[in-house]
Amino acid sequence: MRKQLALLFGSLALMAVWAFPGMAEGWELSEDGKYWTYCDSPGVPREDEWIEDHGKTYYVDEKGHMKTGWVTDKDTGEKYYMGEDGAMYVNAFTKDNRYVGPDGLQIATYDTYRKTVKSEIKKAVPKKKKTKKIGQNAAEEPARQGYFLITDLNLDGYRDLVVMDGTEESKNLVEVAIWDPEEEIFLLSAEFDEPEEGAAACTLYQNPEEETIWLEVAETNGNCYLFQLEYQEARFKNVWSFEMEIDDWGGPEYLINGQAQDQDEWDFELAEARRARGETVLGGFLPATEENINAQVDRILTEEELDLW
């Protein structure tokens, strides 16, 4: 008897599915294949509303047609980008190169940053010079190009910019620029002329333990100047200056921050200053190609970075 009842109820359930195949709500494609509509029942589409389906958000217009591209919410005036499948973009770059966050809204400040950093790199990178070849057997000079590094230098959370010029083996600093989130511009912390023979060597160091960035200017005569990038600022502060001069009697005079010292004290303080500076030269520079720039600048934001923008 139980088996007969089970078979009876199973047959009734199957008949119900056959009799009402379109009862479940969902997406329907128009007969001409041009539009998708979302129907609660066959042929009755929803109109002019946002739809949540399987964890994604869609929008259908007054005719019930699913929309793609930019859509404006009539109640709030906010704009959202809907992909080719109709789903709202989140934490992604739109087809017209705008960034939208987890709520689907454009993060305009981040877009401004991205545009500005690309422009700054292209502006700072020196134009390539044609290599001269003198004589039939003369070797060409190594190819020179621009290099860049995008990293948070002053520990304010925003990624700053360092540009260099030269070859893979020998690079020279061009500029250090710090992002100002209030003005939405890069502020020049340091700018460097093209080095000539015998010019001072300018090097950026980072002290990982103290999380500080230092600029060392070492002259060929032995003078050394150490500047520290101020915390969450765009300015390098002159912390140490070590200079050697010739006194009235023709002998060497050793100066630390303008004060005369004996040579032992000068050597000791210079070693201590360089210890505070750290031994790690700032690295990680990439050739300033279009591919590298886009890869470094156009990044999906982390949760921490989202709070900044």
Side-chain angles (χ1 to χ4, degrees), residues 169-308:
E169 293 74 24
S170 176
K171 303 181 184 68
N172 305 302
L173 286 168
V174 175
E175 73 171 42
V176 180
I178 304 298
W179 180 250
D180 184 337
E182 295 184 0
E183 298 295 329
E184 296 188 347
I185 58 174
F186 276 101
L187 301 176
L188 279 179
S189 293
E191 192 172 18
F192 306 85
D193 295 327
E194 184 174 347
E196 299 178 356
E197 187 176 351
C202 301
T203 310
L204 284 175
Y205 289 85
Q206 63 178 150
N207 187 325
E209 295 181 358
E210 299 182 8
E211 297 185 315
T212 51
I213 297 294
W214 293 78
L215 169 63
E216 179 180 278
V217 180
E219 297 180 344
T220 55
N221 60 5
N223 293 348
C224 179
Y225 305 89
L226 288 168
F227 304 82
Q228 182 181 354
L229 184 63
E230 294 187 324
Y231 177 66
Q232 295 190 355
E233 297 292 339
R235 188 173 75 95
F236 276 101
K237 179 182 178 181
N238 186 196
V239 180
W240 295 99
S241 63
F242 297 87
E243 299 170 305
M244 293 185 291
E245 297 180 352
I246 302 300
D247 60 22
D248 295 338
W249 293 273
E253 183 177 26
Y254 299 89
L255 303 174
I256 301 177
N257 292 345
Q259 301 296 317
Q261 304 286 345
D262 59 42
Q263 184 177 359
D264 290 340
E265 181 68 16
W266 195 89
D267 290 337
F268 175 80
E269 291 295 337
L270 178 57
E272 286 296 299
R274 283 178 167 163
R275 182 195 60 78
R277 175 207 69 188
E279 297 299 325
T280 305
V281 176
L282 189 65
F285 290 84
L286 296 173
T289 63
E290 196 79 23
E291 181 181 3
N292 285 337
I293 293 172
N294 290 337
Q296 291 295 307
V297 176
D298 298 335
R299 301 186 315 143
I300 300 298
L301 295 175
T302 64
E303 290 186 8
E304 293 181 356
E305 291 171 329
L306 281 169
D307 292 337
L308 293 172

Side-chain angles (χ1 to χ4, degrees), residues 14-297:
L14 188 59
M15 289 175 61
V17 172
W18 287 341
F20 306 103
M23 284 300 292
E25 65 180 43
W27 293 101
E28 293 185 4
L29 185 62
S30 62
E31 292 183 0
D32 58 8
K34 293 183 178 181
Y35 302 105
W36 283 97
T37 58
Y38 192 91
C39 300
D40 293 320
S41 58
V44 184
R46 295 190 191 179
E47 298 176 354
D48 192 20
E49 65 176 282
W50 296 94
I51 295 172
E52 296 289 336
D53 184 43
H54 290 84
K56 296 183 178 181
T57 303
Y58 303 82
Y59 179 75
V60 291
D61 62 16
E62 295 86 350
K63 298 180 180 179
H65 298 163
M66 182 184 73
K67 301 296 292 183
T68 60
W70 287 102
V71 171
T72 301
D73 188 304
K74 295 181 179 179
D75 295 329
T76 65
E78 301 285 4
K79 293 183 178 181
Y80 301 88
Y81 190 83
M82 323 305 286
E84 293 181 1
D85 63 350
M88 179 189 294
Y89 269 36
V90 293
N91 292 323
F93 293 97
T94 64
K95 298 297 183 181
D96 54 357
N97 199 30
R98 304 182 198 183
Y99 189 81
V100 291
D103 56 1
L105 294 174
Q106 179 188 0
I107 304 180
T109 51
Y110 184 46
D111 287 339
T112 299
Y113 168 83
R114 292 168 47 234
K115 180 180 179 180
T116 306
V117 71
K118 290 178 182 181
S119 175
E120 187 67 26
I121 293 173
K122 293 177 181 179
K123 181 180 69 175
V125 170
K127 294 182 179 179
K128 292 183 179 180
K129 298 180 180 179
K130 295 182 179 179
T131 56
K132 294 182 180 180
K133 188 175 181 180
I134 304 175
Q136 186 175 359
N137 299 320
E140 291 187 3
E141 297 180 1
R144 297 176 63 86
Q145 65 177 31
Y147 296 84
F148 74 101
L149 173 67
I150 303 176
T151 187
D152 183 9
L153 297 172
N154 66 348
L155 302 180
D156 65 350
Y158 296 94
R159 295 192 302 155
D160 308 304
L161 174 65
V162 183
V163 176
M164 300 190 80
D165 170 49
T167 65
E168 186 64 36
E169 293 74 24
S170 176
K171 303 181 184 68
N172 305 302
L173 286 168
V174 175
E175 73 171 42
V176 180
I178 304 298
W179 180 250
D180 184 337
E182 295 184 0
E183 298 295 329
E184 296 188 347
I185 58 174
F186 276 101
L187 301 176
L188 279 179
S189 293
E191 192 172 18
F192 306 85
D193 295 327
E194 184 174 347
E196 299 178 356
E197 187 176 351
C202 301
T203 310
L204 284 175
Y205 289 85
Q206 63 178 150
N207 187 325
E209 295 181 358
E210 299 182 8
E211 297 185 315
T212 51
I213 297 294
W214 293 78
L215 169 63
E216 179 180 278
V217 180
E219 297 180 344
T220 55
N221 60 5
N223 293 348
C224 179
Y225 305 89
L226 288 168
F227 304 82
Q228 182 181 354
L229 184 63
E230 294 187 324
Y231 177 66
Q232 295 190 355
E233 297 292 339
R235 188 173 75 95
F236 276 101
K237 179 182 178 181
N238 186 196
V239 180
W240 295 99
S241 63
F242 297 87
E243 299 170 305
M244 293 185 291
E245 297 180 352
I246 302 300
D247 60 22
D248 295 338
W249 293 273
E253 183 177 26
Y254 299 89
L255 303 174
I256 301 177
N257 292 345
Q259 301 296 317
Q261 304 286 345
D262 59 42
Q263 184 177 359
D264 290 340
E265 181 68 16
W266 195 89
D267 290 337
F268 175 80
E269 291 295 337
L270 178 57
E272 286 296 299
R274 283 178 167 163
R275 182 195 60 78
R277 175 207 69 188
E279 297 299 325
T280 305
V281 176
L282 189 65
F285 290 84
L286 296 173
T289 63
E290 196 79 23
E291 181 181 3
N292 285 337
I293 293 172
N294 290 337
Q296 291 295 307
V297 176

